[in-house]
Amino acid sequence: MKQFNIYTLIAIIIIISSCSDFLDRDPLSQASENTFWNTEADAEKGVNALYAIMPGQRDFWRDCQSDNSLMTNSWGEGGLGYISQGIHNAATSYLNEEWVYADIYRILYYIDKLNGMEIDQARKQRFEGEARFILALKYYRMTRHFGDIPLIKEKPVELENAALTRAPKSEVLEYVIENVEKAIDYLPENYGGNDVGRITKAAALTLKADIYLDMASYKKFHDGEDATVLWREAANAAQEVINMNIYELEEDFAFLFTAESNNNNKEVILANQYKENERTHMLPVLASPAGTGLTGQGWASFCPTRDLVDSYEMIDGKTIYESSLYDMENPWENRDTRLKKTFFLPGYECLRPNGQYEPYMPHPAFNRPERINNEGGGITGYMYLKYNDQTLTTPSRSWINFSLYRYAEVLLIAAEALNEYDPGNNRIVEYVDQVRQRAGLPSVSSVQNDQYKMRTYIREERRHEFVAEHKRYFDILRWKTAEIVLNKPGYGINKDENSAIGDYTQEMFLGQNRTFDPSKHYLWPIPQKALDNNLNLKQNPNW
């Protein structure tokens, strides 16, 4: 990782991922494995290996499951782009990326080995806290996709060999919370030296707040039941992070998504770590249009939708449809400052392989490499600046850390939860305004006592703050709005190159049609491979 090293731990990953084979190994192999789990250094290497299975840069891709983004080649990556179109099924291979029982096995194997080690108790608990956080995160994420899932606790068991049935989602989440609570108890508030970047107490508290927010949302918006207790738990966990007085918002939103920000900012609570020349990713290639950057190597794999771009407020707090400040000829001016810091927008002066800065011109009429439907041109006419460094000479080897939790999310979790069970609370305006102030937007104090309008503002803040951080898909699921926003086509820029670029009344390029069936799409199907391997598993309704 950027500070603590996981790059020499391939052998440890092999040990953890292949542990089911140990009984079949020769005596020398078995002795080697038994010898390993003895020292504190062994325990640390083992937990470091688990960090590699946390969510990372591929979550940028997954924003296309929501109404924020479209995947140019939807059949790629095993059908990742099928999700928002509603054309996935149990045989869609991409689903297996989220059905991660091999990871569950690895984590439980580590915890089991750790429990048998005689090492310093404080360090042992810290290692366990890190492992239990990762375990909780994995189980939580699986329940968000699949609902009821098999639950394996404490002792590592291969799912196929165990032939387990699906446990109720509520039971899985109860175990998830148990693990999170242990992580909160065991983890320190911060680290120093080479340990900077590890999972902290604040990360565990944020995960707890996130889980309770999700549980409360389902209870209220899906089941129509009172969720006061759950909202309060979410708000209290977020408030604990706020009360630590360790984190605050960075002044420059764009700075957060640069390599310079890696473990060197006051806002990121937890990030998947990358390191120059050692652990890298290719987001600058995927996020850029062809013909841009020093190399011109852009695949335009994921394209923001017109709906997302048009949803950013004007600096007077009004929408582009309401504000007198909106200029269709200059639509990016006087807007939420995150708009220009998040996207390649038509006319953006971008770096070219010739070393010059020239406008991004995606309309097909201009016949530029970045034109819509050209290879590397994308399908909407918008691209990303977030997690994108145009100056890289090897854009396929970026080392920008990928954020999992930021302080901005803590503020918005607290505000959302408070607004649902204690509308009008002064802290709601305080927390939302902190995020909006950085974006150059006015206060929401005028709607302090209007729960519905405040809810709308909070939801829009989450959408604009966390673009490409894989928050939006889970949000529209828990709010039960996916059936609304994903039953609309994803559009791009205007088809007529002579019309004002910001004229939303004109015909737009159709990027992609999308479908969301509320009778089944709030859950994913159990992967066919899992069903074939375990006959005790039953499929989700209507799949």
Side-chain angles (χ1 to χ4, degrees):
M1 309 194 82
K2 181 67 177 178
Q3 299 295 331
F4 61 98
N5 199 319
I6 68 169
Y7 307 106
T8 60
L9 297 177
I10 295 175
I12 309 306
I13 295 173
I14 292 172
I15 287 173
I16 294 175
S17 62
S18 305
C19 47
S20 60
D21 298 327
F22 282 131
L23 293 178
D24 301 323
R25 292 184 176 183
D26 60 49
L28 181 61
S29 277
Q30 185 66 42
S32 177
E33 189 271 334
N34 289 334
T35 302
F36 177 79
W37 300 101
N38 285 318
T39 69
E40 187 176 296
D42 294 340
E44 185 169 31
K45 289 176 182 176
V47 78
N48 285 355
L50 298 181
Y51 275 79
I53 63 176
M54 288 201 305
Q57 50 84 21
R58 279 183 71 80
D59 271 4
F60 182 104
W61 305 34
R62 294 181 175 107
D63 215 30
C64 70
Q65 295 170 190
S66 76
D67 56 335
N68 276 357
S69 181
L70 304 177
M71 187 170 174
T72 303
N73 298 319
S74 59
W75 60 88
E77 304 304 317
L80 169 59
Y82 290 167
I83 306 298
S84 66
Q85 297 180 74
I87 57 175
H88 54 301
N89 56 48
T92 300
S93 62
Y94 170 68
L95 305 183
N96 293 295
E97 282 198 25
E98 300 289 358
W99 186 264
V100 287
Y101 278 92
D103 289 348
I104 297 296
Y105 191 106
R106 292 183 187 112
I107 302 164
L108 290 176
Y109 175 83
Y110 173 77
I111 292 173
D112 186 54
K113 287 295 182 182
L114 180 69
N115 285 338
M117 298 179 74
E118 295 182 4
I119 59 175
D120 177 76
Q121 186 63 20
R123 295 275 284 179
K124 185 176 181 178
Q125 284 194 336
R126 197 205 82 190
F127 297 149
E128 183 177 347
E130 293 171 85
R132 290 197 178 276
F133 174 95
I134 298 170
L135 178 63
L137 186 61
K138 286 289 181 179
Y139 265 135
Y140 171 46
R141 182 148 161 160
M142 275 201 287
T143 64
R144 299 181 96 175
H145 286 117
F146 302 105
D148 300 347
I149 58 173
L151 177 59
I152 303 170
K153 295 182 177 182
E154 301 310 300
K155 291 292 183 179
V157 177
E158 287 184 315
L159 178 59
E160 289 76 14
N161 293 339
L164 295 173
T165 58
R166 296 169 66 185
K169 179 180 178 180
S170 58
E171 183 180 337
V172 179
L173 290 177
E174 181 179 342
Y175 180 62
V176 166
I177 293 294
E178 287 177 13
N179 280 276
V180 173
E181 293 290 4
K182 286 184 178 180
I184 292 169
D185 288 342
Y186 294 167
L187 292 170
E189 289 190 358
N190 48 50
Y191 297 88
N194 292 333
D195 287 326
V196 171
R198 288 186 177 277
I199 301 165
T200 62
K201 185 183 296 290
L205 283 165
T206 306
L207 175 58
K208 178 181 178 180
D210 188 16
I211 294 167
Y212 275 113
L213 191 78
D214 194 73
M215 293 168 64
S217 299
Y218 273 90
K219 190 165 188 177
K220 178 170 184 173
F221 301 118
H222 288 253
D223 302 333
E225 299 177 9
D226 177 64
T228 297
V229 173
L230 299 175
W231 294 121
R232 184 178 288 114
E233 288 281 3
N236 288 346
Q239 190 63 48
E240 284 193 60
V241 178
I242 295 169
N243 292 345
M244 286 180 174
N245 293 315
I246 295 175
Y247 304 95
E248 57 184 294
L249 300 181
E250 282 289 337
E251 290 78 9
D252 182 6
F253 178 74
F255 171 68
L256 291 165
F257 312 104
T258 64
E260 291 74 21
S261 174
N262 287 2
N263 298 325
N264 185 36
N265 70 82
K266 55 194 176 185
E267 180 170 342
V268 173
I269 295 172
L270 181 64
N272 197 311
Q273 308 275 308
Y274 296 86
K275 186 175 182 181
E276 186 175 7
N277 297 323
E278 294 191 38
R279 187 170 188 250
T280 61
H281 58 76
M282 59 187 302
L283 287 186
V285 174
L286 303 174
S288 296
T292 65
L294 282 180
T295 67
Q297 184 185 9
W299 293 359
S301 298
F302 313 103
C303 306
T305 61
R306 175 66 174 268
D307 177 73
L308 173 59
V309 171
D310 284 353
S311 69
Y312 282 72
E313 289 175 47
M314 305 297 296
I315 57 173
D316 59 6
K318 297 179 181 179
T319 68
I320 63 171
Y321 314 109
E322 302 166 329
S323 176
S324 61
L325 297 175
Y326 186 63
D327 180 357
M328 290 184 177
E329 297 284 355
N330 299 286
W332 326 131
E333 303 305 316
N334 299 313
R335 300 282 291 277
D336 179 330
T337 61
R338 290 170 295 194
L339 180 66
K340 286 186 177 181
K341 295 183 177 185
T342 302
F343 305 114
F344 258 93
L345 299 165
Y348 166 70
E349 294 285 336
C350 59
L351 183 63
R352 301 282 183 169
N354 62 9
Q356 303 299 310
Y357 285 84
E358 301 171 4
Y360 167 55
M361 301 173 68
H363 197 284
F366 301 134
N367 201 31
R368 300 296 296 267
E370 65 263 33
R371 64 188 182 276
I372 289 177
N373 290 323
N374 184 44
E375 185 175 355
I379 55 178
T380 67
Y382 308 111
M383 287 305 302
Y384 293 95
L385 293 176
K386 204 170 185 180
Y387 291 114
N388 190 350
D389 184 348
Q390 290 269 290
T391 67
L392 290 176
T393 56
T394 53
S396 62
R397 301 187 66 191
S398 171
W399 63 95
I400 302 171
N401 282 356
F402 192 87
S403 295
L404 301 181
Y405 284 123
R406 296 192 280 115
Y407 186 62
E409 186 165 6
V410 172
L411 294 171
L412 292 177
I413 288 175
E416 181 177 352
L418 285 167
N419 187 59
E420 295 300 337
Y421 83 89
D422 188 18
N425 189 302
N426 291 333
R427 284 182 289 160
I428 300 170
V429 171
E430 177 188 349
Y431 297 155
V432 176
D433 278 357
Q434 285 187 48
V435 179
R436 287 174 64 82
Q437 183 178 10
R438 177 170 66 182
L441 298 175
S443 172
V444 293
S445 58
S446 63
V447 299
Q448 178 170 352
N449 296 311
D450 187 324
Q451 185 187 43
Y452 176 81
K453 288 184 178 179
M454 183 65 77
R455 180 186 295 148
T456 301
Y457 273 113
I458 292 169
R459 290 181 176 185
E460 286 301 293
E461 283 306 309
R462 284 189 63 91
R463 186 180 193 187
H464 301 144
E465 184 70 21
F466 305 121
V467 168
E469 295 179 58
H470 197 29
K471 308 290 182 181
R472 177 67 174 176
Y473 180 65
F474 294 125
D475 281 347
I476 61 177
L477 291 183
R478 67 185 177 88
W479 294 329
K480 208 173 183 293
T481 58
E483 61 203 66
I484 301 171
V485 301
L486 286 181
N487 272 315
K488 301 174 183 177
Y491 289 106
I493 60 175
N494 293 339
K495 294 185 73 172
D496 181 359
E497 74 273 22
N498 295 313
S499 66
I501 190 67
D503 188 348
Y504 50 77
T505 68
Q506 299 299 309
E507 184 181 4
M508 308 168 194
F509 281 104
L510 173 63
Q512 197 174 86
N513 283 307
R514 297 174 300 192
T515 299
F516 189 94
D517 181 351
S519 72
K520 64 179 184 178
H521 286 154
Y522 279 104
L523 292 175
W524 286 7
I526 304 300
Q528 189 61 49
K529 180 180 179 181
L531 294 173
D532 293 342
N533 289 337
N534 182 354
L535 298 181
N536 288 326
L537 293 179
K538 303 301 180 184
Q539 187 55 277
N540 273 323
N542 300 316
W543 286 103

